[in-house]
Amino acid sequence: MIEEGGLIMEKEQTQGAAQVMDAREQESLSLIELSTPALKVWDEIVLVPIVGVVDTKRAQQIMENLLKSIAEYEARVAILDVTGVPVIDTRVAHHITKTVTAARMMGAEVVITGVSPEAAQTLTKLHVDLSSISTRGTLRAGLKEAFALIGSRVEPRDEGVDS
Amino acid sequence: MKIAILKLRDILLTSIHVDLTDEDALEFQADVLEMVKKTEAKGIVIDITAMNVVDSFMARILNETASMVKTLGAEAVICGMRPEVALTLVEMGRELTGVETAVNLEQGVDKLRELIKRRQ
């Protein structure tokens, strides 16, 4: 009887452990999803802001997300904002290049924004060639570029006419 | 499997709606070139929205067809590539280089018109 009881206890413990593991996995999965949203900021423009360190798994996730959003929103321009990425090294740059190539094959142009001066220095020193990709310092400049690419522009309303 | 190539005024439209075998792909390429020559079309839009699989051979065929069409004096735009397909091609290192692309048929036709205008 005691042995049986022990067995059941053990079984319950393992089940409990498995549940905890499942919950953790679920948590990390939803965290990954949360960390890379794709926003439709304008007709035919999607924005993907990246915050935090980019590892291979996340890069893959971001790439898939970006491409899916291009297809879903039928976007012509995708803005990849890297303001929140602390370090951009060769690996991250490689992922960015791949994403841009894939997006181009789908018929969309990618604008990289928020490249910090430090990142620009590192990339140049590492001889990473991003010259074929359009990059902008700020999201603002990137948006302007995106608008130009879809052939529209935002300008202040003429106050004089209304009043 | 024969892929229909439709003439719409001065351009051609074609949609690959099945996964092609290698022979079919080659036949398709020949058909496209023949049609471009016959109709004297100014350009062609190749829609690949329904293609779930684009292997390296198909990618090469698409690449080649686009540059062959250009050699004939017309423009080519490939549209509707699925995200999964784009991802796979990039992972395989078989990017479509030097080919004009668009997200959907609508934008594909717009792009083609623009290219034709630029050529004239």
Side-chain angles (χ1 to χ4, degrees):
Chain A
M1 284 301 272
I2 298 163
E3 271 178 20
E4 254 179 49
L7 250 173
I8 292 166
M9 278 253 295
E10 210 169 82
K11 212 175 169 187
E12 273 175 358
Q13 269 177 355
T14 4
Q15 270 181 348
Q19 270 172 0
V20 170
M21 282 293 282
D22 276 353
R24 284 226 179 113
E25 255 170 49
Q26 201 63 45
E27 212 169 63
S28 75
L29 270 179
S30 45
L31 261 179
I32 287 176
E33 269 171 33
L34 274 176
S35 63
T36 54
L39 318 161
K40 183 178 179 174
V41 284
W42 205 261
D43 299 335
E44 304 181 325
I45 301 178
V46 287
L47 167 66
V48 180
I50 312 176
V51 178
V53 180
V54 180
D55 56 9
T56 311
K57 201 174 161 192
R58 243 196 110 194
Q60 198 69 28
Q61 181 78 26
I62 292 165
M63 198 163 158
E64 276 172 32
N65 247 1
L66 184 98
L67 298 181
K68 269 188 203 150
S69 67
I70 289 174
E72 193 186 335
Y73 300 129
E74 307 195 322
R76 266 157 75 189
V77 184
I79 303 172
L80 199 60
D81 184 62
V82 293
T83 313
V85 183
V87 186
I88 298 181
D89 54 8
T90 32
R91 217 172 25 136
V92 178
H94 177 63
H95 285 302
I96 291 177
T97 327
K98 275 209 291 192
T99 312
V100 173
T101 317
R104 276 201 188 135
M105 281 199 287
M106 288 179 63
E109 198 49 53
V110 181
V111 182
I112 314 286
T113 64
V115 183
S116 63
E118 292 81 21
Q121 276 179 313
T122 332
L123 290 175
T124 312
K125 277 182 195 153
L126 290 171
H127 299 291
V128 177
D129 185 24
L130 290 178
S131 57
S132 60
I133 300 166
S134 89
T135 51
R136 291 290 180 274
T138 58
L139 180 58
R140 185 190 136 90
L143 262 176
K144 209 170 174 185
E145 167 77 7
F147 276 121
L149 282 168
I150 63 163
S152 54
R153 65 171 174 216
V154 177
E155 53 184 28
R157 199 165 5 151
D158 194 355
E159 297 291 337
V161 178
D162 284 349
S163 55
Chain B
M1 188 75 203
K2 194 98 172 156
I3 304 293
I5 303 166
L6 315 167
K7 183 176 172 291
L8 188 75
R9 303 215 176 115
D10 55 348
I11 63 169
L12 297 175
L13 290 180
T14 181
S15 173
I16 306 176
H17 45 85
V18 285
D19 292 326
L20 298 179
T21 62
D22 290 1
E23 292 84 57
D24 287 340
L26 286 168
E27 196 188 329
F28 169 72
Q29 183 177 61
D31 285 352
V32 165
L33 299 174
E34 194 52 48
M35 267 302 262
V36 169
K37 191 166 170 260
K38 200 172 84 187
T39 60
E40 293 179 17
K42 286 176 182 159
I44 180 164
V45 179
I46 303 171
D47 174 65
I48 57 167
T49 312
M51 281 189 99
N52 291 313
V53 182
V54 175
D55 58 10
S56 56
F57 184 77
M58 195 60 215
R60 209 184 80 201
I61 290 289
L62 288 173
N63 253 332
E64 281 179 3
T65 311
S67 57
M68 286 168 183
V69 167
K70 270 187 195 153
T71 319
L72 287 176
E75 297 289 345
V77 174
I78 289 170
C79 67
M81 185 184 287
R82 284 168 182 248
E84 308 90 72
V85 172
L87 267 175
T88 322
L89 286 179
V90 171
E91 293 297 340
M92 288 197 300
R94 302 277 335 188
E95 294 94 9
L96 297 182
T97 42
V99 184
E100 293 294 337
T101 49
V103 173
N104 52 26
L105 184 62
E106 195 177 71
Q107 289 181 19
V109 174
D110 285 352
K111 193 160 204 173
L112 187 65
R113 292 249 174 254
E114 206 178 289
L115 286 170
I116 291 168
K117 210 190 265 174
R118 218 182 289 165
R119 190 178 263 253
Q120 281 166 350

PDB file of all heavy atoms in Angstrom, chain B residues 16-46:
ATOM      1  N   ILE B  16       0.554  30.804 -62.279  1.00  0.00           N
ATOM      2  CA  ILE B  16       0.921  29.398 -62.090  1.00  0.00           C
ATOM      3  C   ILE B  16       0.150  28.914 -60.867  1.00  0.00           C
ATOM      4  O   ILE B  16       0.384  29.364 -59.758  1.00  0.00           O
ATOM      5  CB  ILE B  16       2.436  29.239 -61.879  1.00  0.00           C
ATOM      6  CG1 ILE B  16       3.205  29.911 -63.020  1.00  0.00           C
ATOM      7  CG2 ILE B  16       2.808  27.771 -61.781  1.00  0.00           C
ATOM      8  CD1 ILE B  16       4.698  29.884 -62.857  1.00  0.00           C
ATOM      9  N   HIS B  17      -0.823  28.049 -61.098  1.00  0.00           N
ATOM     10  CA  HIS B  17      -1.715  27.650 -60.004  1.00  0.00           C
ATOM     11  C   HIS B  17      -1.497  26.235 -59.532  1.00  0.00           C
ATOM     12  O   HIS B  17      -2.211  25.737 -58.687  1.00  0.00           O
ATOM     13  CB  HIS B  17      -3.164  27.858 -60.443  1.00  0.00           C
ATOM     14  CG  HIS B  17      -3.422  27.349 -61.812  1.00  0.00           C
ATOM     15  ND1 HIS B  17      -3.734  26.067 -62.055  1.00  0.00           N
ATOM     16  CD2 HIS B  17      -3.339  27.977 -63.022  1.00  0.00           C
ATOM     17  CE1 HIS B  17      -3.856  25.897 -63.365  1.00  0.00           C
ATOM     18  NE2 HIS B  17      -3.623  27.036 -63.969  1.00  0.00           N
ATOM     19  N   VAL B  18      -0.519  25.552 -60.099  1.00  0.00           N
ATOM     20  CA  VAL B  18      -0.189  24.207 -59.613  1.00  0.00           C
ATOM     21  C   VAL B  18       1.328  24.139 -59.431  1.00  0.00           C
ATOM     22  O   VAL B  18       2.052  24.973 -59.962  1.00  0.00           O
ATOM     23  CB  VAL B  18      -0.608  23.107 -60.614  1.00  0.00           C
ATOM     24  CG1 VAL B  18      -2.090  22.898 -60.578  1.00  0.00           C
ATOM     25  CG2 VAL B  18      -0.134  23.437 -62.008  1.00  0.00           C
ATOM     26  N   ASP B  19       1.765  23.159 -58.662  1.00  0.00           N
ATOM     27  CA  ASP B  19       3.208  22.974 -58.542  1.00  0.00           C
ATOM     28  C   ASP B  19       3.693  22.243 -59.794  1.00  0.00           C
ATOM     29  O   ASP B  19       3.239  21.138 -60.096  1.00  0.00           O
ATOM     30  CB  ASP B  19       3.529  22.188 -57.278  1.00  0.00           C
ATOM     31  CG  ASP B  19       3.200  23.008 -56.041  1.00  0.00           C
ATOM     32  OD1 ASP B  19       3.372  24.233 -56.107  1.00  0.00           O
ATOM     33  OD2 ASP B  19       2.756  22.424 -55.041  1.00  0.00           O
ATOM     34  N   LEU B  20       4.598  22.882 -60.511  1.00  0.00           N
ATOM     35  CA  LEU B  20       5.015  22.354 -61.807  1.00  0.00           C
ATOM     36  C   LEU B  20       6.133  21.325 -61.672  1.00  0.00           C
ATOM     37  O   LEU B  20       6.998  21.449 -60.814  1.00  0.00           O
ATOM     38  CB  LEU B  20       5.511  23.498 -62.697  1.00  0.00           C
ATOM     39  CG  LEU B  20       4.510  24.588 -63.059  1.00  0.00           C
ATOM     40  CD1 LEU B  20       5.192  25.636 -63.907  1.00  0.00           C
ATOM     41  CD2 LEU B  20       3.335  24.002 -63.805  1.00  0.00           C
ATOM     42  N   THR B  21       6.100  20.330 -62.541  1.00  0.00           N
ATOM     43  CA  THR B  21       7.245  19.427 -62.632  1.00  0.00           C
ATOM     44  C   THR B  21       8.303  20.138 -63.462  1.00  0.00           C
ATOM     45  O   THR B  21       8.032  21.170 -64.079  1.00  0.00           O
ATOM     46  CB  THR B  21       6.861  18.108 -63.330  1.00  0.00           C
ATOM     47  OG1 THR B  21       6.450  18.435 -64.673  1.00  0.00           O
ATOM     48  CG2 THR B  21       5.725  17.415 -62.614  1.00  0.00           C
ATOM     49  N   ASP B  22       9.494  19.581 -63.489  1.00  0.00           N
ATOM     50  CA  ASP B  22      10.585  20.223 -64.227  1.00  0.00           C
ATOM     51  C   ASP B  22      10.250  20.386 -65.707  1.00  0.00           C
ATOM     52  O   ASP B  22      10.531  21.419 -66.309  1.00  0.00           O
ATOM     53  CB  ASP B  22      11.890  19.430 -64.060  1.00  0.00           C
ATOM     54  CG  ASP B  22      12.429  19.547 -62.642  1.00  0.00           C
ATOM     55  OD1 ASP B  22      11.764  20.229 -61.822  1.00  0.00           O
ATOM     56  OD2 ASP B  22      13.480  18.976 -62.360  1.00  0.00           O
ATOM     57  N   GLU B  23       9.629  19.339 -66.287  1.00  0.00           N
ATOM     58  CA  GLU B  23       9.271  19.422 -67.723  1.00  0.00           C
ATOM     59  C   GLU B  23       8.226  20.513 -67.963  1.00  0.00           C
ATOM     60  O   GLU B  23       8.336  21.277 -68.919  1.00  0.00           O
ATOM     61  CB  GLU B  23       8.720  18.086 -68.239  1.00  0.00           C
ATOM     62  CG  GLU B  23       9.712  16.952 -68.314  1.00  0.00           C
ATOM     63  CD  GLU B  23       9.871  16.251 -66.984  1.00  0.00           C
ATOM     64  OE1 GLU B  23       8.851  15.781 -66.451  1.00  0.00           O
ATOM     65  OE2 GLU B  23      10.995  16.184 -66.465  1.00  0.00           O
ATOM     66  N   ASP B  24       7.237  20.530 -67.059  1.00  0.00           N
ATOM     67  CA  ASP B  24       6.185  21.541 -67.166  1.00  0.00           C
ATOM     68  C   ASP B  24       6.782  22.944 -67.096  1.00  0.00           C
ATOM     69  O   ASP B  24       6.391  23.846 -67.836  1.00  0.00           O
ATOM     70  CB  ASP B  24       5.165  21.388 -66.023  1.00  0.00           C
ATOM     71  CG  ASP B  24       4.279  20.174 -66.216  1.00  0.00           C
ATOM     72  OD1 ASP B  24       4.201  19.707 -67.362  1.00  0.00           O
ATOM     73  OD2 ASP B  24       3.698  19.709 -65.231  1.00  0.00           O
ATOM     74  N   ALA B  25       7.752  23.113 -66.204  1.00  0.00           N
ATOM     75  CA  ALA B  25       8.387  24.419 -66.025  1.00  0.00           C
ATOM     76  C   ALA B  25       9.089  24.851 -67.310  1.00  0.00           C
ATOM     77  O   ALA B  25       8.977  25.998 -67.743  1.00  0.00           O
ATOM     78  CB  ALA B  25       9.371  24.366 -64.864  1.00  0.00           C
ATOM     79  N   LEU B  26       9.788  23.909 -67.913  1.00  0.00           N
ATOM     80  CA  LEU B  26      10.491  24.215 -69.165  1.00  0.00           C
ATOM     81  C   LEU B  26       9.507  24.554 -70.281  1.00  0.00           C
ATOM     82  O   LEU B  26       9.737  25.473 -71.066  1.00  0.00           O
ATOM     83  CB  LEU B  26      11.371  23.029 -69.571  1.00  0.00           C
ATOM     84  CG  LEU B  26      12.640  22.874 -68.731  1.00  0.00           C
ATOM     85  CD1 LEU B  26      13.296  21.530 -68.996  1.00  0.00           C
ATOM     86  CD2 LEU B  26      13.614  24.016 -69.009  1.00  0.00           C
ATOM     87  N   GLU B  27       8.403  23.791 -70.309  1.00  0.00           N
ATOM     88  CA  GLU B  27       7.380  24.032 -71.323  1.00  0.00           C
ATOM     89  C   GLU B  27       6.765  25.419 -71.112  1.00  0.00           C
ATOM     90  O   GLU B  27       6.538  26.165 -72.067  1.00  0.00           O
ATOM     91  CB  GLU B  27       6.301  22.954 -71.213  1.00  0.00           C
ATOM     92  CG  GLU B  27       5.421  22.875 -72.441  1.00  0.00           C
ATOM     93  CD  GLU B  27       4.242  21.930 -72.241  1.00  0.00           C
ATOM     94  OE1 GLU B  27       4.382  20.952 -71.483  1.00  0.00           O
ATOM     95  OE2 GLU B  27       3.186  22.203 -72.838  1.00  0.00           O
ATOM     96  N   PHE B  28       6.537  25.735 -69.839  1.00  0.00           N
ATOM     97  CA  PHE B  28       5.970  27.040 -69.483  1.00  0.00           C
ATOM     98  C   PHE B  28       6.879  28.169 -69.966  1.00  0.00           C
ATOM     99  O   PHE B  28       6.425  29.141 -70.581  1.00  0.00           O
ATOM    100  CB  PHE B  28       5.769  27.112 -67.965  1.00  0.00           C
ATOM    101  CG  PHE B  28       5.429  28.485 -67.452  1.00  0.00           C
ATOM    102  CD1 PHE B  28       4.189  29.043 -67.694  1.00  0.00           C
ATOM    103  CD2 PHE B  28       6.362  29.223 -66.726  1.00  0.00           C
ATOM    104  CE1 PHE B  28       3.879  30.314 -67.231  1.00  0.00           C
ATOM    105  CE2 PHE B  28       6.062  30.488 -66.255  1.00  0.00           C
ATOM    106  CZ  PHE B  28       4.817  31.029 -66.509  1.00  0.00           C
ATOM    107  N   GLN B  29       8.187  27.992 -69.726  1.00  0.00           N
ATOM    108  CA  GLN B  29       9.163  28.995 -70.150  1.00  0.00           C
ATOM    109  C   GLN B  29       9.098  29.212 -71.676  1.00  0.00           C
ATOM    110  O   GLN B  29       9.035  30.345 -72.152  1.00  0.00           O
ATOM    111  CB  GLN B  29      10.565  28.537 -69.746  1.00  0.00           C
ATOM    112  CG  GLN B  29      11.647  29.542 -70.071  1.00  0.00           C
ATOM    113  CD  GLN B  29      12.988  29.049 -69.579  1.00  0.00           C
ATOM    114  OE1 GLN B  29      13.456  27.996 -70.027  1.00  0.00           O
ATOM    115  NE2 GLN B  29      13.593  29.775 -68.664  1.00  0.00           N
ATOM    116  N   ALA B  30       9.061  28.106 -72.393  1.00  0.00           N
ATOM    117  CA  ALA B  30       9.006  28.185 -73.851  1.00  0.00           C
ATOM    118  C   ALA B  30       7.716  28.878 -74.304  1.00  0.00           C
ATOM    119  O   ALA B  30       7.740  29.724 -75.212  1.00  0.00           O
ATOM    120  CB  ALA B  30       9.100  26.786 -74.441  1.00  0.00           C
ATOM    121  N   ASP B  31       6.607  28.517 -73.641  1.00  0.00           N
ATOM    122  CA  ASP B  31       5.309  29.108 -73.987  1.00  0.00           C
ATOM    123  C   ASP B  31       5.312  30.618 -73.780  1.00  0.00           C
ATOM    124  O   ASP B  31       4.812  31.375 -74.615  1.00  0.00           O
ATOM    125  CB  ASP B  31       4.190  28.487 -73.135  1.00  0.00           C
ATOM    126  CG  ASP B  31       3.834  27.087 -73.585  1.00  0.00           C
ATOM    127  OD1 ASP B  31       4.362  26.680 -74.647  1.00  0.00           O
ATOM    128  OD2 ASP B  31       3.074  26.406 -72.882  1.00  0.00           O
ATOM    129  N   VAL B  32       5.874  31.029 -72.639  1.00  0.00           N
ATOM    130  CA  VAL B  32       5.918  32.464 -72.320  1.00  0.00           C
ATOM    131  C   VAL B  32       6.668  33.215 -73.418  1.00  0.00           C
ATOM    132  O   VAL B  32       6.179  34.210 -73.964  1.00  0.00           O
ATOM    133  CB  VAL B  32       6.595  32.696 -70.947  1.00  0.00           C
ATOM    134  CG1 VAL B  32       6.972  34.159 -70.775  1.00  0.00           C
ATOM    135  CG2 VAL B  32       5.680  32.268 -69.819  1.00  0.00           C
ATOM    136  N   LEU B  33       7.848  32.709 -73.760  1.00  0.00           N
ATOM    137  CA  LEU B  33       8.675  33.393 -74.762  1.00  0.00           C
ATOM    138  C   LEU B  33       7.978  33.422 -76.115  1.00  0.00           C
ATOM    139  O   LEU B  33       7.995  34.435 -76.819  1.00  0.00           O
ATOM    140  CB  LEU B  33      10.039  32.713 -74.862  1.00  0.00           C
ATOM    141  CG  LEU B  33      10.834  32.750 -73.553  1.00  0.00           C
ATOM    142  CD1 LEU B  33      12.094  31.937 -73.661  1.00  0.00           C
ATOM    143  CD2 LEU B  33      11.149  34.182 -73.155  1.00  0.00           C
ATOM    144  N   GLU B  34       7.334  32.306 -76.455  1.00  0.00           N
ATOM    145  CA  GLU B  34       6.621  32.213 -77.725  1.00  0.00           C
ATOM    146  C   GLU B  34       5.500  33.255 -77.781  1.00  0.00           C
ATOM    147  O   GLU B  34       5.330  33.959 -78.782  1.00  0.00           O
ATOM    148  CB  GLU B  34       6.045  30.788 -77.863  1.00  0.00           C
ATOM    149  CG  GLU B  34       5.579  30.433 -79.261  1.00  0.00           C
ATOM    150  CD  GLU B  34       6.642  30.685 -80.326  1.00  0.00           C
ATOM    151  OE1 GLU B  34       7.814  30.269 -80.149  1.00  0.00           O
ATOM    152  OE2 GLU B  34       6.288  31.330 -81.324  1.00  0.00           O
ATOM    153  N   MET B  35       4.754  33.353 -76.651  1.00  0.00           N
ATOM    154  CA  MET B  35       3.635  34.303 -76.570  1.00  0.00           C
ATOM    155  C   MET B  35       4.119  35.747 -76.656  1.00  0.00           C
ATOM    156  O   MET B  35       3.505  36.576 -77.334  1.00  0.00           O
ATOM    157  CB  MET B  35       2.868  34.112 -75.252  1.00  0.00           C
ATOM    158  CG  MET B  35       1.694  33.177 -75.319  1.00  0.00           C
ATOM    159  SD  MET B  35       0.462  33.655 -76.523  1.00  0.00           S
ATOM    160  CE  MET B  35      -0.721  34.496 -75.487  1.00  0.00           C
ATOM    161  N   VAL B  36       5.220  36.042 -75.959  1.00  0.00           N
ATOM    162  CA  VAL B  36       5.757  37.401 -75.977  1.00  0.00           C
ATOM    163  C   VAL B  36       6.112  37.786 -77.411  1.00  0.00           C
ATOM    164  O   VAL B  36       5.812  38.885 -77.882  1.00  0.00           O
ATOM    165  CB  VAL B  36       6.997  37.526 -75.058  1.00  0.00           C
ATOM    166  CG1 VAL B  36       7.712  38.856 -75.272  1.00  0.00           C
ATOM    167  CG2 VAL B  36       6.597  37.397 -73.592  1.00  0.00           C
ATOM    168  N   LYS B  37       6.711  36.837 -78.111  1.00  0.00           N
ATOM    169  CA  LYS B  37       7.121  37.102 -79.488  1.00  0.00           C
ATOM    170  C   LYS B  37       5.897  37.248 -80.401  1.00  0.00           C
ATOM    171  O   LYS B  37       5.801  38.192 -81.189  1.00  0.00           O
ATOM    172  CB  LYS B  37       8.014  35.963 -79.979  1.00  0.00           C
ATOM    173  CG  LYS B  37       8.694  36.272 -81.283  1.00  0.00           C
ATOM    174  CD  LYS B  37       9.804  35.295 -81.571  1.00  0.00           C
ATOM    175  CE  LYS B  37      10.286  35.486 -82.978  1.00  0.00           C
ATOM    176  NZ  LYS B  37       9.720  34.486 -83.890  1.00  0.00           N
ATOM    177  N   LYS B  38       4.956  36.315 -80.240  1.00  0.00           N
ATOM    178  CA  LYS B  38       3.786  36.277 -81.103  1.00  0.00           C
ATOM    179  C   LYS B  38       2.901  37.522 -80.947  1.00  0.00           C
ATOM    180  O   LYS B  38       2.460  38.114 -81.921  1.00  0.00           O
ATOM    181  CB  LYS B  38       2.967  35.012 -80.798  1.00  0.00           C
ATOM    182  CG  LYS B  38       2.015  34.620 -81.925  1.00  0.00           C
ATOM    183  CD  LYS B  38       1.387  33.273 -81.643  1.00  0.00           C
ATOM    184  CE  LYS B  38       0.170  33.428 -80.738  1.00  0.00           C
ATOM    185  NZ  LYS B  38      -0.388  32.142 -80.305  1.00  0.00           N
ATOM    186  N   THR B  39       2.663  37.892 -79.688  1.00  0.00           N
ATOM    187  CA  THR B  39       1.728  38.992 -79.440  1.00  0.00           C
ATOM    188  C   THR B  39       2.409  40.355 -79.425  1.00  0.00           C
ATOM    189  O   THR B  39       1.743  41.378 -79.340  1.00  0.00           O
ATOM    190  CB  THR B  39       1.010  38.811 -78.086  1.00  0.00           C
ATOM    191  OG1 THR B  39       2.016  38.779 -77.069  1.00  0.00           O
ATOM    192  CG2 THR B  39       0.212  37.528 -78.032  1.00  0.00           C
ATOM    193  N   GLU B  40       3.729  40.334 -79.478  1.00  0.00           N
ATOM    194  CA  GLU B  40       4.514  41.565 -79.354  1.00  0.00           C
ATOM    195  C   GLU B  40       4.127  42.344 -78.107  1.00  0.00           C
ATOM    196  O   GLU B  40       4.009  43.574 -78.128  1.00  0.00           O
ATOM    197  CB  GLU B  40       4.359  42.432 -80.605  1.00  0.00           C
ATOM    198  CG  GLU B  40       4.988  41.787 -81.837  1.00  0.00           C
ATOM    199  CD  GLU B  40       4.815  42.641 -83.080  1.00  0.00           C
ATOM    200  OE1 GLU B  40       4.509  43.842 -82.936  1.00  0.00           O
ATOM    201  OE2 GLU B  40       4.986  42.109 -84.189  1.00  0.00           O
ATOM    202  N   ALA B  41       3.912  41.606 -77.032  1.00  0.00           N
ATOM    203  CA  ALA B  41       3.513  42.232 -75.765  1.00  0.00           C
ATOM    204  C   ALA B  41       4.672  43.057 -75.212  1.00  0.00           C
ATOM    205  O   ALA B  41       5.829  42.768 -75.470  1.00  0.00           O
ATOM    206  CB  ALA B  41       3.113  41.161 -74.767  1.00  0.00           C
ATOM    207  N   LYS B  42       4.297  44.090 -74.466  1.00  0.00           N
ATOM    208  CA  LYS B  42       5.329  44.952 -73.887  1.00  0.00           C
ATOM    209  C   LYS B  42       5.809  44.431 -72.535  1.00  0.00           C
ATOM    210  O   LYS B  42       6.804  44.899 -72.007  1.00  0.00           O
ATOM    211  CB  LYS B  42       4.781  46.366 -73.724  1.00  0.00           C
ATOM    212  CG  LYS B  42       4.667  47.088 -75.055  1.00  0.00           C
ATOM    213  CD  LYS B  42       4.044  48.439 -74.876  1.00  0.00           C
ATOM    214  CE  LYS B  42       3.897  49.144 -76.222  1.00  0.00           C
ATOM    215  NZ  LYS B  42       2.880  50.196 -76.147  1.00  0.00           N
ATOM    216  N   GLY B  43       5.050  43.502 -71.990  1.00  0.00           N
ATOM    217  CA  GLY B  43       5.472  42.950 -70.704  1.00  0.00           C
ATOM    218  C   GLY B  43       4.602  41.806 -70.260  1.00  0.00           C
ATOM    219  O   GLY B  43       3.556  41.543 -70.850  1.00  0.00           O
ATOM    220  N   ILE B  44       5.062  41.116 -69.209  1.00  0.00           N
ATOM    221  CA  ILE B  44       4.297  39.990 -68.688  1.00  0.00           C
ATOM    222  C   ILE B  44       4.325  39.981 -67.163  1.00  0.00           C
ATOM    223  O   ILE B  44       5.346  40.306 -66.554  1.00  0.00           O
ATOM    224  CB  ILE B  44       4.827  38.643 -69.264  1.00  0.00           C
ATOM    225  CG1 ILE B  44       4.003  37.465 -68.704  1.00  0.00           C
ATOM    226  CG2 ILE B  44       6.310  38.441 -68.975  1.00  0.00           C
ATOM    227  CD1 ILE B  44       4.176  36.176 -69.468  1.00  0.00           C
ATOM    228  N   VAL B  45       3.174  39.660 -66.584  1.00  0.00           N
ATOM    229  CA  VAL B  45       3.102  39.488 -65.132  1.00  0.00           C
ATOM    230  C   VAL B  45       2.937  38.003 -64.851  1.00  0.00           C
ATOM    231  O   VAL B  45       2.027  37.363 -65.366  1.00  0.00           O
ATOM    232  CB  VAL B  45       1.905  40.261 -64.522  1.00  0.00           C
ATOM    233  CG1 VAL B  45       1.854  40.041 -63.016  1.00  0.00           C
ATOM    234  CG2 VAL B  45       2.008  41.739 -64.821  1.00  0.00           C
ATOM    235  N   ILE B  46       3.852  37.454 -64.070  1.00  0.00           N
ATOM    236  CA  ILE B  46       3.764  36.042 -63.701  1.00  0.00           C
ATOM    237  C   ILE B  46       3.350  35.965 -62.237  1.00  0.00           C
ATOM    238  O   ILE B  46       4.092  36.383 -61.353  1.00  0.00           O
ATOM    239  CB  ILE B  46       5.112  35.317 -63.926  1.00  0.00           C
ATOM    240  CG1 ILE B  46       5.556  35.453 -65.391  1.00  0.00           C
ATOM    241  CG2 ILE B  46       5.009  33.847 -63.533  1.00  0.00           C
ATOM    242  CD1 ILE B  46       6.963  34.961 -65.662  1.00  0.00           C
TER     243      ILE B  46
END
